[in-house]
Every structure is written in C-alpha cells, then in structure tokens.
Amino acid sequence: MADTNARLTLGEKSFDLPVLSGSVGPDVIDIRKLYAQTGAFTYDPGYTSTGSCESEITYIDGDQGILLHRGYPIDQLAEHSTFMEVAYLLLNGDLPSQDELNNFTYTISRHTMLHEQLSTFYRGFRRDAHPMAIMCGVVGALSAFYHDSTDITDPKQRMIASHRLIAKMPTIAAMAYKYSVGQPFLYPQNNLSYTGNFLRMTFGVPAEPYEVNPVIENAMRRIFILHADHEQNASTSTVRLAGSSGANPFACIAAGIACLWGPAHGGANEAALNMLREIGRPERIPEYIARAKDKEDPFRLMGFGHRVYKNFDPRAKVMQRTAEEVLNELGISDPIFDVARELEQIALKDDYFIEKKLYPNVDFYSGVILSAIGFPTSMFTALFALARTVGWVAQWNEMISDPDQKIGRPRQLYTGPTQRDYVPVERR
Ligand code: CMC
C-alpha cells in the first residue's frame, strides 16, 4: 500500500507517483501508470534501479552483506540445514516440520530418474559438448517427455514440474559429465542424500561400489545451498520473463540455464579458476592487479565484484572456509588456493578495489573446491545451474500465482532513423 507519493515534474506539469514499502529494503516508486499519465517511459538499461516484481522469497542488502531466504540468513542455512530443507523453504515459504521434510524428500527421490529415451538424446551431442549446452538442450527437451506437467494454469501440475526439475537436475548434470568422459550413465540411488546421490552418479562407476566422503558431501551441500537462490538476478529474471508469456516450466528453466552460462553470471566460477591457474604463482599477482585496473585492458578479476554486494558477499565467506576444509580432507596443497588467498589480500588493500567496492564473490573460491573434488572446470556452471534450479522454480511459481502478473514487455529509447521511404536496390 502506498503511504506516500513521489512528485515528478515533467515540463510544466507535475505528477504524483505512489511510493510502495516492502517489509524491509528500499521503497519503490510505482510507475505502472507513468506512461498513461505522462507519455514518458523510464530508462534503466541493466535494471540497476528497477524492481521488476513483488517477491517474498529472497532479500539481499548489498551494503550490509546480508542474504536472507524467507527471512533466514544464508550462513545459518549453510551451516545447519539440508539442501532439501532449503528447497522446501524456498518453494513453500517456511522451514518444513519433520513430517513435511520426510514427505518432500520422498517425493523428490521418486522423480530422480529420467525417461529412458532421454539417454539416447545425449548421444546426439558431440563428446566434447560443453555441459551447459547439454543442460540447455536436455532440460528444454523435458517438456517433450513430461506432458502431464506443462499446464501452467494447474497448481498441481506446476508443483509436479517443480519437483521433477529439482529431482532430475542432478541426474541430468551427472549424465552430461559421464557422457563427456565416455563412462556409462549411472542411475540414481535414492537412499543417498541429494548431494551424495549426485556425487555417486558423477564419480561412481557401475563396476565398483562408491563410498560418499562425508566431508565432500557436506561441501557440496553448502555449495548447493549457497547457490540456491539470489533474488532477481539475470537468470532468474530470464526465467520470469520467459514464464510471463505462459511458456512451460521446462522451457523457462532452459532459458535460465542459457542466461546463467555467461561469464558475467554463472560462468564466472569457471573463469575465476582459469584466471587463478593462469596467474599460477603469487609473484605474478601484481601484474594481474595492474591489468584489472588498466582502463585500456578488458581484463577483470574474475570472482570479484557484484552488482548488489558492495561490502562483502556473505556466500564468499562460507565458501572460503569450505575450501580450506576440503583441501585439508583431501590432503591437497593446491598452489591455486594460495594464489586465491594472496590475491584476495592484495586486492582488498588496493585503493582501486576499495573505491569501487569490489570484493570476492561466491565464485572466487567455489572453483578451488570443485576442482579439488575432481570436477572439470566445464562442469562448474552446470553445478550452479543444478542448485539454482530450486530458486528458479520457486520464483517461477511465485510469478505464476501472482494476480498482478503480466507478460514482461520492456520499452526502449529509440535512437534509429525516423521513417523514410524504401529505395530500390539499383538506386542505393
Ligand atoms: N575487476 C576489475 N574491475 C572491475 C571488476 C572486476 N572484477 N568488476 C567491476 N569492475 C570495475 C568496472 O571496470 C567499473 O569501473 P568504472 O566505474 O571505472 O567503469 C566498476 O568496477 C563498476 O563495474 P560494473 O561493470 O559497472 O559493475 P556491474 O554491477 O555492472 O557488474 C559484475 C557486476 C559482477 C558483472 C562485475 O563486477 C564483473 O564483471 N565481475 C567479474 C565477473 C564475476 O565475478 N561475476 C560473478 C558475479 S557473482 C555470481 C552471480 O551472482 O552470478
């Protein structure tokens, strides 16, 4: 409800625009009637000041480094909850009771297998296909296999599609990996945890039993929780925009995966590790810091900076701790980790990074952990997509249930030619 108005003066006229307040966070100026009243649009490429929807799922305070899911701080969830609890929380609004959690976990586990014919679908890809290319294709193709959950007007079908997506994503991602290394696909094993099952499908082979290492399982649990949702980021907004036209959920999540792939978003973990490898040893750090600061050089420190976090990324702290745990457990002394720690220290003391408020983000340490566990860099973004699917489906459900929801259709500031007459080719 609007308690107050913002006054806009445009030429000779003034207009009152309602100001809406959420439960916490900045107020928003409601400009829904702006064009009808004034004939003007707003201009905000990159949406740096635009709220695109009302949401009850995730809250971020970028200045304070706060990330809350349904009110719960991310570090508490990463420390104490299972991924299934977080998935339930994001989808349903509250932490589950023990019974609700058992039912939810059981339901998800009933959907972990893929339609058998989908395994032949994989064989259409080249062996060196990027896992994200496979993920986009296979997830989009789910709509051709699960017709009974594509009616978005039916809340039951929406929930079944959501459960299917959450349950099948580890199977899809693990199969993308298996395909790339030429090993047989492994079926899910539902007595394992969500992350344990994923680790087994990825690193197990049918010829031998696979023991899930609890430290690695716990690290994966944290990584999945830290990536589960992040408010209206680029891929989530893509999912919402695709869904706003009434597209089926599998197609919408495939659109989210496509957006996540980019190096400025989910692809940054892959890019960050490649960068750390390129730097190779701490002595070379100053050279890369200088390049990051050079306006003529397009190089950026990957894993640094965030559109919203301008103090620290609360996910990065948990990630750094987890990296230490995993490297200790595996007995790995990875020079890349030393480079990462040193780079962080140097950058945090550098005026350029201080002034621009650039801090390590979630991707800075995640690559170190994933690489130590044995994932190739090309799988990093696929793991991000796997975990973020929970947030995507929660946000998609919220959007479809919102009575104010309309097809997303931004406007533009047109700067092209005005109307002109067609000239036949011989006279051009
Ligand atoms: N290294 C060096 N300079 C940087 C960096 C960086 N990583 N990030 C931003 N800057 C500079 C940038 O050059 C600009 O300088 P100036 O004002 O002089 O032109 C200033 O800081 C502001 O940058 P911006 O690009 O306008 O900021 P943005 O909010 O549009 O971009 C970002 C945010 C995350 C895309 C950007 O910081 C970046 O490219 N970081 C590296 C990629 C990365 O790690 N992405 C993962 C984000 S977290 C995971 C996720 O949520 O997907």
Side-chain angles (χ1 to χ4, degrees), residues 19-205:
V19 176
L20 311 179
S21 300
S23 45
V24 58
D27 290 344
V28 299
I29 303 167
D30 181 351
I31 56 159
R32 279 176 290 184
K33 300 210 170 85
L34 183 77
Y35 177 57
Q37 286 174 351
T38 67
F41 297 138
T42 56
Y43 182 60
D44 185 19
Y47 309 124
T48 53
S49 304
T50 297
S52 61
C53 60
E54 189 181 322
S55 181
E56 296 179 355
I57 301 175
T58 291
Y59 173 72
I60 301 175
D61 181 331
D63 293 326
Q64 305 288 329
I66 290 172
L67 167 59
L68 309 176
H69 291 322
R70 305 280 191 184
Y72 296 102
I74 190 64
D75 48 327
Q76 291 185 21
L77 293 172
E79 206 47 47
H80 304 299
S81 62
T82 62
F83 187 66
M84 283 297 93
E85 269 184 295
V86 173
Y88 184 98
L89 173 71
L90 289 169
L91 266 180
N92 299 295
D94 277 309
L95 284 170
S97 66
Q98 189 63 58
D99 274 355
E100 287 166 335
L101 181 60
N102 294 347
N103 283 339
F104 182 72
T105 309
Y106 177 81
T107 306
I108 295 297
S109 73
R110 293 299 108 174
H111 287 294
T112 49
M113 288 194 296
L114 286 188
H115 190 291
E116 192 61 20
Q117 211 178 320
L118 267 165
S119 62
T120 55
F121 195 86
Y122 278 76
R123 299 197 163 87
F125 288 98
R126 282 170 52 138
R127 290 276 174 191
D128 61 356
H130 195 287
M132 286 296 274
I134 299 183
M135 301 275 283
C136 283
V138 174
V139 173
L142 293 179
S143 38
F145 286 84
Y146 299 102
H147 300 287
D148 58 345
S149 53
T150 51
D151 177 0
I152 63 151
T153 60
D154 177 354
K156 270 206 191 116
Q157 289 203 28
R158 292 206 297 271
M159 211 28 93
I160 294 172
S162 306
H163 292 158
R164 279 186 168 143
L165 277 156
I166 295 169
K168 293 183 196 309
M169 214 49 123
T171 317
I172 292 171
M175 284 170 72
Y177 173 70
K178 284 296 188 204
Y179 187 70
S180 72
V181 290
Q183 289 181 1
F185 297 141
L186 252 63
Y187 289 115
Q189 200 167 295
N190 291 339
N191 59 338
L192 296 175
S193 69
Y194 189 83
T195 39
N197 182 36
F198 172 64
L199 286 167
R200 182 187 156 274
M201 285 191 290
T202 306
F203 297 118
V205 286

Side-chain angles (χ1 to χ4, degrees), residues 192-242:
L192 296 175
S193 69
Y194 189 83
T195 39
N197 182 36
F198 172 64
L199 286 167
R200 182 187 156 274
M201 285 191 290
T202 306
F203 297 118
V205 286
E208 286 170 17
Y210 179 81
E211 290 257 332
V212 180
N213 177 326
V215 174
I216 307 298
E217 188 181 18
N218 192 35
M220 287 307 295
R221 177 191 67 80
R222 278 203 202 129
I223 290 177
F224 284 177
I225 290 175
L226 294 177
H227 286 92
D229 192 51
H230 212 227
E231 204 225 61
Q232 308 310 321
N233 57 85
S235 58
T236 301
S237 299
T238 302
V239 169
R240 281 185 177 256
L241 196 57

